[in-house]
Amino acid sequence: MINGYFDMKDCFNALKLFERMVMIGVKFDLVTILVIIQACAEFGCLKLGMQIHAMAIKFSYSNDLFIVNALLNMYSEIGNLELAHEVFNTVSSHDAALWNSMISTYIEYGYYDEATSLFIRMLKDGIQEDERTVIIMLDLCEKLADSLKGGKSLHCLAIKNGMSLDSSLGNALLSMYTERNCVESVKKVFSEMGNVDVVSCNTLILALARNNLKGEAWELFGIMQESEIKPNSYTVISILASCEDDIYLNTGKSIHGFVIKHGIEINQSLNTALVDMYMNCGNEAAARNLFDRYADKDLISWNALIASYVKNDNADKALLLFKEMIAEVEPNSVTILNILSSCTHVASLPLGQCLHAYIIRRESSLGFNLSLANALLTMYARCGSIRSAEKIFRSLPRKNISSWNTIITGYGLHGHGCDAIRAFKQMLEDDFQPNGVTFISLLSACSHSGLIRKGLEIFHSMVQDFNITPKLAHYGCVVDLLGRGGCLDEAKEFIRLMPIEPDASVWRALLSASGIHTDIQEAKTICENLVQLEPTNPGNYILISNIYAATGLWAEVRKIRTWLRDRGLQKPPGFSWIVVRNQVHSFTAGSRSHPLSNKIYENLSSLLFLVKESGYVPDFSCLSHDEEN
């Protein structure tokens, strides 16, 4: 009866029946204690668990390894790592199961170093590891940032000990290699597995989809439909990862239809994946319909849609969704990071400050999060408050390379090149090693502050002192640095001596400099290089068109406009925005989509009349001519 209650997850009645059994004097045995310890773990009462432990000792069951393992797991599940560790240390002879339980407990509590040390000690003590040991350690490998080498070593250990690649061990290896993006290793393990199941197929489909091997992913999906291993909701989630832009919208719709036709349960994870697919494929209406109609939205669902809006440059919609979200569920650090990114995108300092206050208020639950702190740094710097960014930076209890890169970038954005260089020197004094991003930030800061000589010194130092190989972004920064300073000949010579072929961004930097210094002939030559690299990018033609317009060569402007129109090339219109009372209002030139557009244009006409009446004459020489008007 006790076992029956436990199997039905009715731990309360299992424990009550055991109490009655003791009270009326019915003797219990090892099996009874084993089930009661497990019921106690499920029930979650530490005091009762300790009483059961005392009874096990009193009746001499505490030396049995099954009982010891159950006690260890009980203390772990109840939340007392210290007592679990004590139980482990009280036993003189440990088997693999006990070691596995203790290692698993350490991993569960986030003590990854202790788990690794215990595994090494297990090997040194001559305890024969089993498949469960390898699976537990592979799970740890997935949690560590740079652990592919460890995962491969565990794979070798399994082969050396003759472990068969059954579904359990095979799936653990598949998962580890998928997380490390080693698609060839995933395919090899899958081919060597004795018996694959739906989890194996799902993991391989996900690995193929992530690595743009869509054809192979779809082929396996088709094989599953014809085999005994039928697709489930997680199969669909995996295959949806291959639908990442608007050309796959019809494919994504077909998958959605397959789900409905075959009666596959649309759980939270699948609903979130479908919403994400529709957003990525440009069908926001279908995404919002699925999202709004799903009753049991969890935190992950909200975060996923907010992240999709941020990724698709819809910061204003991300902010509106966040306001809806906080009435339903409590945001976490992932939510705040995405919303801070939106605040940065729309340059909304007041909203960013509100989020900062929210983070401070929830500090006890969020804890210190360096990623959040760095996001706040970025927000303040890009929203125009470099002093607030400095204040946060100085107050950080610890910093990483991203913190330093962010403050250096912030100084550069505000034209404080000297402060950026000072921060870089301080960073070196604090024993932080710069990376490629650091030097992009520094070179950009020098460019915006006119520090040409210092910028060139930093570029050469990057190669000579820090052994960092420059990438195209670094070369583009140097060209921009020289071009802004009017050193066009030096910029051209620098491009000529580059050890790698310049890309469009490098030529664009030179073209912009030519436009600033109105070197028309040079601009024509650069434009030819740009057109060869990006023949269908209308922005390049608009750039040279604006340079012609600035010097009055209207015939050339008309030629370019006609050429663009004949080929159907059109630059996406830029948009501006303003935040009023925490609501984002966005606009494009000539648009009347805003509900108050009539009133806005009336006020604009009044303002234009007033400035003209005051004698203002507009100067159109620096105007961007990417609009027909």
Side-chain angles (χ1 to χ4, degrees):
M1 280 302 297
I2 290 171
N3 198 58
Y5 278 128
F6 178 71
D7 285 345
M8 295 297 291
K9 305 294 182 187
D10 189 352
C11 297
F12 178 77
N13 276 318
L15 292 167
K16 287 292 288 181
L17 195 60
F18 175 68
E19 180 189 27
R20 182 179 162 198
M21 179 183 182
V22 173
M23 293 297 290
I24 64 175
V26 178
K27 289 185 179 180
F28 52 84
D29 59 9
L30 185 142
V31 175
T32 321
I33 287 289
L34 192 60
V35 175
I36 287 301
I37 291 170
Q38 293 174 74
C40 219
E42 291 284 331
F43 193 64
C45 178
L46 178 61
K47 187 176 179 181
L48 182 59
M50 293 175 77
Q51 287 175 343
I52 301 297
H53 188 177
M55 290 179 75
I57 295 169
K58 180 180 177 181
F59 290 93
S60 303
Y61 295 132
S62 59
N63 290 325
D64 183 272
L65 288 178
F66 287 104
I67 295 292
V68 172
N69 204 6
L71 286 167
L72 194 157
N73 288 326
M74 178 193 71
Y75 285 126
S76 171
E77 288 182 38
I78 289 174
N80 197 311
L81 178 61
E82 186 180 342
L83 287 176
H85 190 260
E86 277 186 32
V87 169
F88 179 78
N89 285 336
T90 55
V91 182
S92 54
S93 62
H94 299 151
D95 64 354
L98 203 59
W99 285 86
N100 292 345
S101 294
M102 196 65 234
I103 293 169
S104 185
T105 297
Y106 276 133
I107 294 170
E108 187 181 337
Y109 280 81
Y111 290 94
Y112 301 149
D113 291 340
E114 288 80 356
T116 305
S117 298
L118 196 61
F119 173 65
I120 294 168
R121 186 179 137 201
M122 176 183 180
L123 298 180
K124 285 181 178 177
D125 288 359
I127 306 296
Q128 184 61 50
E129 70 284 347
D130 57 16
E131 289 180 12
R132 179 66 186 152
T133 319
V134 177
I135 291 167
I136 290 167
M137 291 307 295
L138 283 169
D139 178 54
L140 174 59
C141 285
E142 286 188 42
K143 291 176 168 61
L144 300 175
D146 185 21
S147 58
L148 179 59
K149 185 178 177 182
K152 286 181 174 179
S153 298
L154 288 163
H155 191 177
C156 291
L157 182 68
I159 294 169
K160 180 184 174 183
N161 290 343
M163 297 179 188
S164 61
L165 282 183
D166 60 7
S167 57
S168 298
L169 180 55
N171 288 342
L173 284 166
L174 287 175
S175 180
M176 185 274 296
Y177 282 125
T178 298
E179 285 301 310
R180 294 292 164 265
N181 219 27
C182 302
V183 67
E184 292 305 320
S185 297
V186 176
K187 289 160 75 172
K188 188 172 186 295
V189 170
F190 185 86
S191 66
E192 292 172 352
M193 286 176 66
N195 56 319
V196 297
D197 58 13
V198 69
V199 176
S200 320
C201 295
N202 292 351
T203 308
L204 179 55
I205 287 172
L206 181 61
L208 294 168
R210 281 182 180 175
N211 286 273
N212 210 29
L213 299 170
K214 297 180 176 66
E216 292 182 48
W218 276 97
E219 185 181 351
L220 180 55
F221 183 60
I223 291 169
M224 285 180 73
Q225 293 176 58
E226 301 299 324
S227 71
E228 293 180 0
I229 304 172
K230 296 301 179 187
N232 59 16
S233 60
Y234 295 100
T235 318
V236 177
I237 291 168
S238 299
I239 200 71
L240 281 171
S242 65
C243 304
E244 54 194 13
D245 53 47
D246 53 4
I247 63 172
Y248 291 100
L249 178 59
N250 287 334
T251 305
K253 285 181 177 178
S254 300
I255 297 169
H256 193 180
F258 174 85
V259 169
I260 295 167
K261 180 182 176 182
H262 290 84
I264 295 173
E265 180 196 359
I266 300 182
N267 54 26
Q268 285 180 342
S269 300
L270 179 52
N271 195 71
T272 299
L274 285 166
V275 169
D276 202 41
M277 177 275 294
Y278 279 117
M279 285 294 292
N280 289 337
C281 294
N283 192 336
E284 184 194 344
R288 281 309 301 255
N289 184 43
L290 273 173
F291 179 82
D292 292 335
R293 286 173 56 192
Y294 197 78
D296 299 320
K297 292 186 281 288
D298 61 359
L299 180 61
I300 294 171
S301 307
W302 288 94
N303 283 349
L305 186 55
I306 287 172
S308 288
Y309 275 132
V310 173
K311 184 172 68 176
N312 289 289
D313 294 329
N314 283 318
D316 52 338
K317 291 180 179 178
L319 294 168
L320 286 171
L321 188 63
F322 176 67
K323 289 177 184 176
E324 290 180 42
M325 175 187 178
I326 56 179
E328 301 283 337
V329 296
E330 190 79 8
N332 64 359
S333 58
V334 175
T335 324
I336 307 299
L337 278 169
N338 278 314
I339 295 302
L340 275 172
S341 173
S342 299
C343 293
T344 302
H345 184 72
V346 299
S348 175
L349 182 58
L351 186 54
Q353 288 170 325
C354 289
L355 280 167
H356 189 182
Y358 180 82
I359 292 166
I360 292 169
R361 184 169 65 84
R362 285 199 56 208
E363 192 171 2
S364 57
S365 58
L366 290 172
F368 175 73
N369 186 313
L370 190 52
S371 296
L372 270 182
N374 290 339
L376 279 170
L377 270 175
T378 303
M379 183 276 296
Y380 276 118
R382 292 192 181 176
C383 291
S385 182
I386 190 63
R387 297 305 164 215
S388 296
E390 282 180 327
K391 189 176 178 182
I392 290 173
F393 181 77
R394 292 193 189 105
S395 68
L396 291 178
R398 68 175 187 275
K399 302 176 180 71
N400 60 10
I401 187 64
S402 294
S403 313
W404 287 99
N405 289 347
T406 301
I407 196 67
I408 289 169
T409 302
Y411 282 132
L413 286 171
H414 287 257
H416 300 170
C418 293
D419 287 334
I421 292 166
R422 272 194 290 273
F424 175 64
K425 289 178 179 175
Q426 184 61 52
M427 169 185 160
L428 297 179
E429 287 177 17
D430 289 356
D431 293 326
F432 280 89
Q433 189 69 19
N435 58 20
V437 176
T438 315
F439 285 100
I440 289 173
S441 301
L442 275 170
L443 289 168
S444 180
C446 290
S447 179
H448 284 86
S449 303
L451 302 173
I452 299 171
R453 187 179 62 81
K454 194 65 186 174
L456 292 173
E457 283 177 13
I458 287 168
F459 178 77
H460 294 306
S461 171
M462 171 178 120
V463 180
Q464 294 164 6
D465 300 333
F466 298 97
N467 200 29
I468 295 175
T469 304
K471 295 184 179 177
L472 282 165
H474 299 101
Y475 289 114
C477 284
V478 175
V479 172
D480 185 61
L481 174 78
L482 293 168
R484 283 175 183 267
C487 307
L488 293 180
D489 292 336
E490 289 89 338
K492 284 186 286 182
E493 182 65 10
F494 181 81
I495 292 174
R496 190 182 69 79
L497 295 173
M498 279 172 56
I500 52 178
E501 280 294 311
D503 69 346
S505 67
V506 175
W507 288 115
R508 225 174 348 257
L510 188 59
L511 181 60
S512 296
S514 300
I516 293 168
H517 301 286
T518 59
D519 189 335
I520 294 299
Q521 196 54 47
E522 188 61 44
K524 281 183 179 179
T525 307
I526 299 166
C527 191
E528 288 172 8
N529 291 318
L530 263 176
V531 169
Q532 283 182 359
L533 290 167
E534 295 180 341
T536 59
N537 183 351
N540 296 329
Y541 302 99
I542 298 298
L543 190 55
I544 187 66
S545 171
N546 288 337
I547 292 171
Y548 285 145
T551 52
L553 298 174
W554 296 105
E556 297 293 331
V557 172
R558 281 191 291 273
K559 243 190 253 183
I560 291 175
R561 293 225 156 263
T562 303
W563 189 90
L564 283 170
R565 190 165 50 247
D566 290 346
R567 282 157 183 76
L569 296 177
Q570 187 176 4
K571 181 177 177 288
F575 68 93
S576 56
W577 60 84
I578 187 170
V579 181
V580 180
R581 292 174 186 162
N582 289 334
Q583 185 175 354
V584 180
H585 302 265
S586 58
F587 306 90
T588 56
S591 169
R592 289 187 174 270
S593 60
H594 195 278
L596 298 175
S597 59
N598 290 336
K599 192 172 181 181
I600 290 167
Y601 278 103
E602 283 175 17
N603 284 325
L604 180 60
S605 297
S606 299
L607 288 169
L608 288 170
F609 176 77
L610 288 171
V611 294
K612 286 178 182 176
E613 201 175 51
S614 301
Y616 173 74
V617 178
D619 176 11
F620 294 108
S621 62
C622 295
L623 183 67
S624 176
H625 296 271
D626 59 345
E627 298 294 336
E628 286 300 324
N629 294 330

